[in-house]
Amino acid sequence: MAVFYSFHYDRDSWRVQQIINMGVIEGQPLLNSQDWEAVRRRGDAAIKKWIDEQMKYKQAVVVLIGAQTASRRWVLYEIGKAWEERRPLVGVRIHGLKDANQQIDYAGTDPFTQVETQDGYPLSTWVPVFNPSGSNSQAVHASIKASLASWVTQAYKRT
C-alpha cells in the first residue's frame, strides 16, 4: 500500500525518515532540505501543486504527529484535502522517536481537532490516532514498525 505522509518538515523530518526506512509501507520520497526549500521559494501555488501531485495516487494519508504538527498550515491543508477526496486518514504519534540530536519530544495536539467538516464537527470525531508503546526511542521504533501496516488498515474511510 502506498501512503502519503503528512508531517512538520522542519521539526520531524529526522523522525519521519526513520519510519520511511522501516520499509513497512510505501510512502512518497522525503525531500531533502534543499529540494523542499526550492519548492517553498516558488510560493504557495507550488507547494499545493507538489502536495497534490504526491498525494494523487496514494491509497491513504498518514499524519505523523509530533509536538507541533497540529499548528502547521500545510499539514492542515493535507488533512483537509484528504478528507475532501475521501482518502482514508489516520494519525500516528512520533514524539517518542529520537531526532537528529538524540532527543525525544513532547506529545502535540491531535491535528484532526483543528480541521472541521462542513457541519462543524472536528475530524477527530472519526479519525483514529495511534500512540506507539514503549518507554524509550528504540521501543517506540519497534512498536511503530510492528503496528504501522495494521494502523493504516484502520484508517477512517469516509464514504
Side-chain angles (χ1 to χ4, degrees), residues 2-74:
V3 303
F4 179 86
Y5 289 117
S6 178
F7 59 96
H8 180 338
Y9 185 87
D10 292 334
R11 190 171 181 112
D12 292 322
S13 61
W14 187 272
R15 292 177 178 95
V16 171
Q17 190 62 54
Q18 292 175 60
I19 293 168
I20 291 170
N21 289 343
M22 289 174 187
V24 175
I25 55 177
E26 179 186 343
Q28 82 273 14
L30 185 62
L31 292 178
N32 67 38
S33 59
Q34 290 176 326
D35 290 341
W36 174 239
E37 282 303 317
V39 171
R40 194 184 311 193
R41 275 194 302 273
R42 292 195 313 260
D44 290 356
I47 294 171
K48 283 182 181 181
K49 182 180 179 187
W50 184 89
I51 291 167
D52 295 351
E53 285 298 313
Q54 293 301 312
M55 197 181 286
K56 190 179 289 185
Y57 301 107
K58 302 304 187 278
Q59 295 157 315
V61 173
V62 178
V63 181
L64 299 172
I65 305 168
Q68 296 178 3
T69 305
S71 67
R72 305 306 296 173
R73 172 182 176 202
W74 295 112

Side-chain angles (χ1 to χ4, degrees), residues 75-105:
V75 169
L76 300 178
Y77 170 79
E78 292 160 353
I79 291 170
K81 179 174 179 53
W83 183 262
E84 288 174 18
E85 293 180 351
R86 300 181 185 275
R87 293 184 191 279
L89 274 165
V90 66
V92 176
R93 295 194 176 276
I94 62 169
H95 63 279
L97 294 174
K98 288 184 180 178
D99 64 12
N101 298 315
Q102 301 299 302
Q103 300 297 310
I104 60 168
D105 216 343

